[in-house]
């Protein structure tokens, strides 16, 4: 009797086909579906002076806006319906030379709601193609001549039209929903535009701080040097962006890159930061956008955070 023998190449071919199919499915999901699954992450953290009433902070970041991204613009505009007390924008708003048109459409409904902002590098330099594998060798570096964006026009829109406060290497005191807040921030630490040395004088210029004043630190890139210095400067909570939450993550594991030196487990979401004997809330937004040259999100939905700050015990 003759028996058929299976070719040893056939199981390998089946396995290879399965891997290829899984890769195609992941690409379809990440490029065609998940990057449009905009999500509001709602969390609570104790960061206000004892006896304070809650403060609702909408944290938005990394829109990387291009003019044709209407779904993202409509979603951002809809967030005004959450009626936050304060908006914290941690930068990288622009993603195209004409991205300001989309930013105007997205944020116009927030006019009159107090807000603060800092710059990411993509608020100043336009995006450029790059090899994504380089992120595995450490934080990215720019190697080509940048395209300069109209940062001044964006800043005028934020400050003049919306009434937001510029915290790029600066400090400000605001009264928000009955709370006195001291806020300070830095420009993009990823490009070494952070001037941490100017903050003590800027904070001192605000005048004496009442016992009921809460202190918030704002940065685009949450490098450890920035988080440590903010903690030393008495921040009660810190807001950061830049990481995209890893952008392409492993389900059940999380981010595999952060594009800065923050621990990977803190590349997205609410955690705590400890330094100098103090431990304070840290919220790192995964952001709601991506570079036009890397239009994908996988196991990392685009997001904004509604962070309710409550009184410390």
């Amino acid at each position: 009797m003759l028996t058929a023998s299976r070719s040893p190449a056939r199981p390998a071919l089946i396995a290879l086909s399965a891997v290829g199919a899984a890769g195609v499915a992941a690409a379809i999901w990440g490029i065609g579906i998940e990057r449009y699954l905009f999500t509001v992450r709602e969390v609570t953290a104790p960061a206000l002076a004892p006896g304070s009433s809650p403060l609702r902070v909408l944290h938005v970041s990394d829109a990387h806006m291009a003019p044709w991204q209407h779904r993202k613009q409509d979603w951002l505009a809809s967030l005004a319906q959450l009626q936050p007390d304060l908006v914290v924008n941690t930068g990288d708003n622009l993603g195209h030379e004409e991205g300001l048109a989309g930013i105007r459409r997205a944020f116009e409904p927030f006019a009159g709601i107090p807000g603060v902002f800092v710059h990411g590098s993509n608020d100043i330099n336009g995006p450029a193609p790059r090899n994504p594998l380089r992120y595995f060798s450490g934080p990215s570096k720019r190697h080509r001549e940048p395209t300069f964006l109209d940062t001044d026009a964006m800043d005028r829109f934020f400050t003049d039209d919306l009434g937001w406060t510029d915290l790029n290497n600066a400090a400000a005191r605001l009264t928000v929903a009955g709370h006195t807040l001291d806020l300070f921030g830095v420009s993009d630490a990823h490009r070494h535009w952070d001037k941490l040395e100017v903050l003590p004088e800027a904070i001192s210029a605000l005048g004496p701080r009442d016992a009921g004043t809460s202190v918030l630190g704002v940065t685009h890139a949450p490098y450890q040097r920035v988080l440590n210095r903010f903690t030393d400067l008495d921040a009660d909570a810190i807001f950061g962006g830049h990481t995209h939450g890893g952008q392409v993550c492993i389900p059940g594991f999380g981010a595999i890159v952060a594009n800065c030196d923050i621990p990977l487990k803190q590349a997205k979401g609410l955690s705590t930061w400890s330094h100098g004997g103090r431990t304070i809330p840290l919220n790192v937004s995964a952001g709601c956008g991506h570079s036009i040259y890397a239009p994908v999100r996988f196991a990392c939905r685009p997001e904004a955070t509604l962070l309710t700050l409550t009184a410390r015990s």
Side-chain angles (χ1 to χ4, degrees), residues 100-267:
L100 181 56
I103 288 297
R104 287 181 179 277
R105 187 167 180 264
F107 289 118
E108 278 176 347
F110 291 90
I113 298 176
V116 296
F117 68 94
V118 293
H119 292 155
S121 63
N122 285 127
D123 292 314
I124 296 167
N125 300 147
R130 63 183 62 174
N131 182 356
L133 295 178
R134 288 186 176 178
Y135 288 105
F136 291 99
S137 64
S140 62
K141 298 182 175 67
R142 184 175 291 270
H143 298 289
R144 62 182 70 215
E145 277 298 310
T147 300
F148 289 100
L149 304 175
D150 197 344
T151 308
D152 289 342
M154 183 192 74
D155 288 353
R156 286 195 300 271
F157 168 64
F158 285 158
T159 58
D160 298 347
D161 294 8
L162 301 187
W164 290 359
T165 299
D166 186 340
L167 289 183
N168 286 290
N169 302 314
R173 178 169 291 159
L174 302 179
T175 300
V176 177
H179 297 263
T180 300
L181 302 176
D182 279 4
L183 304 105
F184 56 80
V186 290
S187 187
D188 192 357
H190 185 63
R191 297 296 300 275
H192 298 280
W193 295 339
D194 54 312
K195 297 181 180 179
L196 294 166
E197 69 278 5
V198 309
L199 290 183
E201 183 176 351
I203 294 168
S204 178
L206 301 178
R209 181 180 296 160
D210 294 337
T213 300
S214 300
V215 184
L216 305 181
V218 182
T219 180
H220 173 65
Y223 277 85
Q224 293 190 36
R225 69 176 186 272
V226 175
L227 304 181
N228 290 341
R229 188 62 179 133
F230 278 15
T231 306
D232 289 339
L233 291 171
D234 297 327
D236 294 311
I238 301 176
F239 296 81
H242 174 70
T243 66
H244 296 194
Q247 189 166 328
V248 175
C249 298
I250 298 176
F253 177 81
I256 51 179
V257 294
N259 203 20
C260 67
D261 65 358
I262 193 172
L264 288 178
K265 65 180 180 179
Q266 294 180 275

